[in-house]
Amino acid sequence: MSHLKGRHLIEQSLDRFDSVVSRKELRRALRVADAIRERMAGRVLWNVNSTAVGGGVAEMLQSLLRYTRGVGVDARWIVIQGSPEFFRITKRLHHALHGSAGDGSDLGEKERRIYEETLHRDGAELAACVRPGDVVLLHDPQTVGLGPALLRAGTSLIWRCHIGADHVNEEVELAWDFLAPYLQEIPAFVFSREAYVPSYCDHGKSTVIRPSIDAFSAKNRDLDDDTIRTVLVHTGLVEGPPPSPAHHEFEREDGSPGRVEHRADVIRLGRPPTWETPLVVQVSRWDPLKDFLGVMHGFASIVDGEAPAKAQLVLAGPNVTGVTDDPEGEAVFDEVHRAWRALPDSIRDKIHLALLPTADVEENATIVNALQRHAAVVVQKSLHEGFGLTVTEAMWKARPVLATAVGGIQDQIEDGVSGVLLKDPRDREEYATALRRLLEDPVRALRLGEAARERVREHFLGVRHLLQYARLIERLDEAAAR
Ligand code: UDP
């Protein structure tokens, strides 16, 4: 039985970017596309990660690879499968790379054995598929151990680490010690920020590529108010008669029609918020580093009595059984649920816990899109963050974003210009005060949102990302030819 799953990818032309980037930029992108097509002729660009859905990496692969295929490069996406124990260990590594202890378990020889057994098996399978000269992009700690087998198979190898810590502590050291043996032979590394390049990686081999979003994906494409309302009413996130049944529908990436069919599982005390209720929204995986508890308690502290501008809070994440490489989801959601139950009724009835359906990725993305667009304020109160695509997504939707100044969020939001940054991620008072200010000043919120959209247009759309990958592959080829 194969332990690798190939993901179906569609093709999409870069031409559609002409409505969002300048002519000059698009012409440059098309020239680079021609060059990379020639360079990659007869070769495959493999991308390997550990989940097809949920989280930022899957999100980016889904969108970038369709344009890569659209320019004529044979890009493929493989998802490795692992046991619950393998994913527990890689989640432990994930936390450690962010500088936190996670479940505090060991990262010793026993864990290394389990990690290597899984990747040895998957590496052998993958090595049988690739050909010398192919380019393989491995994503995150879950896959870096595949490196040796793929190098022996004669591929050009890149490891991209999407996470990192602003400051090195014991946990960060522990994670890099664990990963160090797999890094030595890898010829190229990609990190999301300069500060994330560890001392273990030769800086000469490292490139910084910031993540990006796809302006045309189901997650980010423009939606009119009727569609937003229909989707939110249908999924149970907002109350009211849906304006038109036709607005359940959305166009899938492959052009076929889709429908928002599933409802969200929402835990709440009373009724859903009305369409007019200003919503404070955080959408994330149920992960302790996203600090859902902090978002909830900070909000609770300002709505004791009457919420500013009558706002309500929606905490939303994937249905906890849906994200297979994230074993913590259920426990984190349960913890948030318990904390919610302990709140007084007068506060609880303004807070909604939403588990979004994940059976259909594009349906899930359409729901997230509608929820982010409908938000009066989008919060991302992460304690650590690799980059924070949810921030980029909300900024692109011209929402005022209130987020902690951690990781890549600092590269996205210019404080007070294109959003609001919270200096201390654990300071709930700072968060509560900033949230109240934003809710009470819609004119400022509007201005921040508009600047946010322009910031994403300039720096965080996929075109720039693809050009950086193309340059990296060119450099790898040149180095190999020397
Ligand atoms: N996401 C989603 N459905 C959910 C929760 C999250 O599609 O129910 C997406 C979210 O829109 C974003 C990604 O998951 O695209 C999260 O990426 P981010 O970089 O914010 O954090 P990560 O999960 O990678 O730590």
Side-chain angles (χ1 to χ4, degrees), residues 184-252:
Q184 280 151 17
E185 303 299 319
I186 295 182
F189 304 107
V190 177
F191 293 92
S192 299
R193 314 189 73 207
E194 189 63 43
Y196 292 171
V197 183
S199 54
Y200 293 87
C201 292
D202 178 344
H203 279 239
K205 293 186 192 170
S206 302
T207 306
V208 172
I209 301 183
R210 288 171 178 178
S212 62
I213 58 161
D214 183 350
F216 306 101
S217 65
K219 177 74 56 72
N220 296 309
R221 69 166 68 113
D222 287 347
L223 299 178
D224 59 40
D225 269 2
D226 277 354
T227 304
I228 296 171
R229 186 168 180 169
T230 309
V231 168
L232 295 180
V233 169
H234 178 75
T235 45
L237 291 163
V238 159
E239 186 174 56
S244 147
H247 289 96
H248 283 242
E249 282 159 15
F250 60 89
E251 189 185 297
R252 292 190 181 280

Side-chain angles (χ1 to χ4, degrees), residues 299-407:
F299 179 82
S301 74
I302 60 169
V303 298
D304 209 355
E306 186 67 349
K310 299 198 174 0
Q312 301 197 10
L313 174 68
V314 176
L315 298 178
N319 207 312
V320 277
T321 49
V323 183
T324 48
D325 77 334
D326 191 358
E328 277 176 317
E330 205 167 334
V332 172
F333 177 77
D334 288 347
E335 194 186 4
V336 176
H337 188 187
R338 271 198 306 279
W340 176 86
R341 276 207 309 260
L343 292 170
D345 285 2
S346 60
I347 294 179
R348 247 195 313 170
D349 69 2
K350 300 186 181 73
I351 301 177
H352 312 260
L353 309 183
L355 294 164
L356 307 181
T358 54
D360 175 339
V361 182
E362 287 183 69
E363 177 191 59
N364 177 276
T366 304
I367 299 168
V368 172
N369 190 349
L371 188 57
Q372 288 172 329
R373 283 183 191 280
H374 185 52
V377 175
V378 169
V379 171
Q380 191 61 54
K381 204 189 155 309
S382 304
L383 303 175
H384 296 276
E385 193 61 74
F387 182 72
L389 281 177
T390 50
V391 170
T392 336
E393 290 158 6
M395 289 172 77
W396 178 244
K397 291 159 189 139
R399 297 298 85 206
V401 182
L402 176 60
T404 41
V406 295

